[in-house]
Amino acid sequence: MRHTLSVMVENKPGILTRVAGLFSRRGYNIESLAVGETENPAFSRMTIVVDGDDRVIEQLTKQLHKLINVHKIQDITHEQTVKRELILFKVNSDTNTRSEIMQIVEIFRARIVDLSRNSMIVEATGDQSKLDAIETALRPYGLRELARTGLIAMVRGSK
Amino acid sequence: MRHTLSVMVENKPGILTRVAGLFSRRGYNIESLAVGETENPAFSRMTIVVDGDDRVIEQLTKQLHKLINVHKIQDITHEQTVKRELILFKVNSDTNTRSEIMQIVEIFRARIVDLSRNSMIVEATGDQSKLDAIETALRPYGLRELARTGLIAMVRGSK
């Protein structure tokens, strides 16, 4: 099962290496990783998506807790969350296909952020399944390049 | 100077640890990191923002090239790029402040993606300076939580 871990870490050199090393030494491949600033400038949040059963993830979480500079870990897999990822597509387009691509962009509430004579860059946000759907819709035109940020998540409501 | 490196890596366990380790051993703090899928399922792209002068970054790049499973490195600092990051804010809101916050959201072409009795979650995308501006606008209402993905970038045009 896919687990989403939200890990608050202190902004100290080497913390990323220690966290990534803990997963790779145990043979776990991190499927998605986003590292970014938080409401507190002294901390970063790592959002880690990793595949494994509940018991194994619980053990990994315990070992993460023991790492220096790791402040707080939440397994938010079973919580009600807003999950979002950002994607940029560079897609082939010419005067014939441009309006079709613009329709797809509108349907998915995406945005065109660059245009050249024979390509455009499309920006979209959403959860995994929405981004997969827009990728499937754009792929037939020819995807030259695709960049994804990795997932971030926030628990809904005001707890 | 802030450099943006786009590093294509093979999806093999341990690659993240090796790349992160190379930076931390040399005392370089990665300011922003995004790891995500690409147009080729065998590869991931790491977008790394790191501070250093041109000569030092060139050396780091050479050493990155020597790492196993690192496929391609581009320093896109001086290129014309679309730079985007995704941010989620959980901001205090009540019936008095809701419409003010909605105005800010509209000005920055952001989106409200969750609402509870006394908070909302706002999603925004943009470059660093736009996201800093929206954060400054929302902070007075009380930021409960903030999550950022790290930056991704794509060279403009159809090269």
Side-chain angles (χ1 to χ4, degrees):
Chain A
M1 188 191 173
R2 239 182 214 179
H3 282 255
T4 307
L5 303 178
S6 170
V7 184
M8 287 281 270
V9 299
E10 286 173 62
N11 283 329
K12 294 283 162 75
I15 177 66
L16 175 63
T17 317
R18 287 196 291 280
V19 172
L22 193 146
F23 283 86
S24 65
R25 275 197 308 278
R26 280 157 191 78
Y28 285 93
N29 200 11
I30 292 177
E31 293 191 10
S32 160
L33 171 70
V35 187
E37 295 162 38
T38 65
E39 62 280 11
N40 181 336
F43 291 93
S44 291
R45 182 181 288 106
M46 303 170 105
T47 308
I48 300 170
V49 179
V50 63
D51 199 53
D53 65 40
D54 286 12
R55 214 171 53 94
V56 170
I57 301 297
E58 206 189 308
Q59 278 196 329
L60 270 173
T61 306
K62 275 184 190 150
Q63 283 163 333
L64 274 173
H65 266 298
K66 288 184 196 156
L67 292 182
I68 194 162
N69 302 136
V70 168
H71 187 64
K72 192 180 163 192
I73 305 163
Q74 285 179 283
D75 184 343
I76 54 175
T77 312
H78 305 291
E79 305 260 8
Q80 288 290 325
T81 52
V82 173
K83 285 197 175 113
R84 286 290 186 282
E85 193 174 348
L86 171 68
I87 194 164
L88 293 172
F89 299 99
K90 190 179 281 181
V91 59
N92 287 331
S93 73
D94 54 29
T95 43
N96 293 317
T97 58
R98 196 176 288 166
S99 65
E100 290 176 29
I101 294 171
M102 285 174 71
Q103 277 173 3
I104 294 170
V105 165
E106 204 183 321
I107 288 165
F108 286 101
R109 292 191 291 165
R111 290 163 181 171
I112 295 165
V113 293
D114 188 55
L115 178 69
S116 73
R117 217 170 51 83
N118 46 21
S119 73
M120 42 172 92
I121 298 180
V122 175
E123 171 198 328
T125 62
D127 59 11
Q128 181 100 35
S129 66
K130 177 182 163 185
L131 297 187
D132 288 347
I134 184 166
E135 183 180 335
T136 305
L138 291 177
R139 194 170 275 284
Y141 299 96
L143 284 183
R144 294 179 176 217
E145 223 177 304
L146 186 163
R148 281 174 96 131
T149 56
L151 190 90
I152 55 173
M154 194 169 271
V155 176
R156 288 184 185 273
S158 51
K159 277 199 305 190
Chain B
M1 189 195 173
R2 240 184 214 180
H3 282 255
T4 307
L5 304 177
S6 169
V7 185
M8 287 280 270
V9 299
E10 288 174 60
N11 283 329
K12 294 281 162 78
I15 177 66
L16 176 63
T17 317
R18 287 196 291 281
V19 171
L22 193 146
F23 284 85
S24 66
R25 276 196 309 277
R26 280 157 190 77
Y28 285 93
N29 201 10
I30 292 176
E31 292 190 11
S32 161
L33 172 70
V35 187
E37 296 163 37
T38 65
E39 62 280 10
N40 182 337
F43 291 94
S44 291
R45 182 181 287 104
M46 302 170 106
T47 308
I48 301 170
V49 179
V50 62
D51 200 52
D53 64 42
D54 285 13
R55 217 172 51 93
V56 170
I57 301 296
E58 206 189 309
Q59 279 197 328
L60 269 174
T61 305
K62 276 185 191 149
Q63 283 164 332
L64 274 174
H65 266 298
K66 289 185 195 153
L67 290 182
I68 194 163
N69 302 136
V70 168
H71 187 65
K72 191 181 164 193
I73 305 163
Q74 284 179 283
D75 185 342
I76 55 175
T77 312
H78 304 293
E79 305 261 7
Q80 288 290 325
T81 53
V82 174
K83 286 200 175 110
R84 286 288 186 285
E85 193 174 349
L86 171 66
I87 194 164
L88 292 173
F89 299 99
K90 189 179 282 181
V91 60
N92 287 331
S93 73
D94 54 30
T95 44
N96 294 318
T97 58
R98 195 175 288 167
S99 66
E100 290 176 29
I101 294 172
M102 285 173 72
Q103 277 174 2
I104 294 170
V105 165
E106 203 183 324
I107 288 165
F108 287 99
R109 293 192 291 164
R111 291 165 181 168
I112 295 166
V113 293
D114 188 55
L115 178 68
S116 72
R117 217 169 51 84
N118 46 24
S119 73
M120 42 172 94
I121 298 180
V122 175
E123 171 198 328
T125 62
D127 60 10
Q128 182 100 35
S129 67
K130 177 182 162 184
L131 297 188
D132 288 348
I134 183 167
E135 182 179 336
T136 304
L138 291 177
R139 194 170 276 284
Y141 299 96
L143 285 182
R144 295 182 176 216
E145 224 177 301
L146 186 164
R148 280 174 98 133
T149 55
L151 190 88
I152 55 174
M154 195 170 272
V155 176
R156 289 184 186 271
S158 51
K159 277 197 306 189

